[in-house]
Amino acid sequence: NENVLYAGKETGIYVTADRGAHWVRLNNGSLPTVGVHDIAEQSQTGDLIAATHGRSIWVLDDASPLAQLTQARMEKPIHLFDCQPTRPIQRLGMDGFWGDKFYRASNSPTGANISYWLKDGGGNVSIKIENERGETVVTLAGGTGKGINRVVWDMQPEGKKRLPNRGETGTIYVPAGKYKVTATFGKFVETTQLTVLPYPYNEGLTIPGERRRINPGEND
């Protein structure tokens, strides 16, 4: 989107969706006042990377909604952005990596990013995800702040529809395929499509010491 530009200043990182006519500081309170000396965007993930002077690296996961902003979309009460294809992942344990001390921080949510724009905010936002058979997989509650909001779906069905783990290592995700995403905000409804990519084990990738896993609904 040639109208979306980023600028690093001595006070932070700024973004414009109208080619410089209006600028907004892009940090939402998570980046302190600090000089931003370089900006890069990852081509595969759409992550926005800002190199600061004295505050290390600041990353905005999946900045693709910013590239999808247009004036017409910002005038809508709600706009549901296109979702990036997402692949399930598993985190392994840390056995064998013990040391004297650890630096620990909470992990950001992992899963499929579902982002939408609210012109004025307020009210209630419901996010419904359906499979290719039209069955509701899960319904999520979204944030209602003015501007861009995001819900992260963990790519699992709602609790009563989840398969028992039976003591196996790892999480059981929904089958790979295309899912319909519907965002409802009052009388306004927006839809888009989300592609869940195959779980890595299904492509012949294995982890030593673990059993090969099959997505639910897939033939062994």
Side-chain angles (χ1 to χ4, degrees), residues 103-114:
Y103 170 78
R104 288 191 175 130
S106 58
N107 291 313
S108 58
T110 58
N113 293 326
I114 301 171

Side-chain angles (χ1 to χ4, degrees), residues 1 4 6 15 17 26 48 60 63-70 81 148:
N1 187 344
V4 176
Y6 304 101
V15 61
L26 183 64
L48 190 69
L60 174 61
S64 62
L66 293 172
Q68 299 177 50
L69 278 178
T70 64
F81 296 105
I148 295 178

Side-chain angles (χ1 to χ4, degrees), residues 139-208:
T139 301
L140 308 169
T144 58
K146 182 178 179 180
I148 295 178
N149 294 264
R150 173 172 291 172
V151 170
V152 181
W153 177 38
D154 60 8
M155 290 181 286
Q156 299 178 63
E158 57 189 5
K160 63 183 180 181
K161 298 179 182 178
R162 297 187 183 187
L163 295 175
N165 192 287
R166 301 188 185 283
E168 297 182 16
T169 302
T171 302
I172 300 178
Y173 295 100
V174 296
K178 299 184 184 301
Y179 291 79
K180 180 182 178 181
V181 181
T182 302
T184 303
F185 177 60
K187 64 179 181 180
F188 303 100
V189 179
E190 291 269 307
T191 62
T192 190
Q193 181 177 278
L194 167 65
T195 300
V196 174
L197 300 174
Y199 188 70
Y201 287 5
N202 297 337
E203 299 178 353
L205 302 179
T206 60
I207 298 175

Side-chain angles (χ1 to χ4, degrees), residues 88-160:
I89 64 171
Q90 296 280 10
R91 285 197 172 96
L92 298 180
M94 295 296 293
D95 291 344
F97 291 91
W98 301 112
D100 178 52
K101 293 181 180 179
F102 288 99
Y103 170 78
R104 288 191 175 130
S106 58
N107 291 313
S108 58
T110 58
N113 293 326
I114 301 171
S115 302
Y116 54 93
W117 167 272
L118 293 181
K119 180 181 178 182
D120 298 315
N124 297 300
V125 175
S126 173
I127 307 293
K128 182 174 67 174
I129 300 174
E130 301 170 272
N131 59 24
E132 295 177 273
R133 297 187 296 273
E135 301 167 338
T136 298
V137 177
V138 68
T139 301
L140 308 169
T144 58
K146 182 178 179 180
I148 295 178
N149 294 264
R150 173 172 291 172
V151 170
V152 181
W153 177 38
D154 60 8
M155 290 181 286
Q156 299 178 63
E158 57 189 5
K160 63 183 180 181

Side-chain angles (χ1 to χ4, degrees), residues 56-71:
S56 190
I57 300 296
W58 183 80
V59 181
L60 174 61
D61 294 336
D62 184 15
S64 62
L66 293 172
Q68 299 177 50
L69 278 178
T70 64
Q71 191 61 41

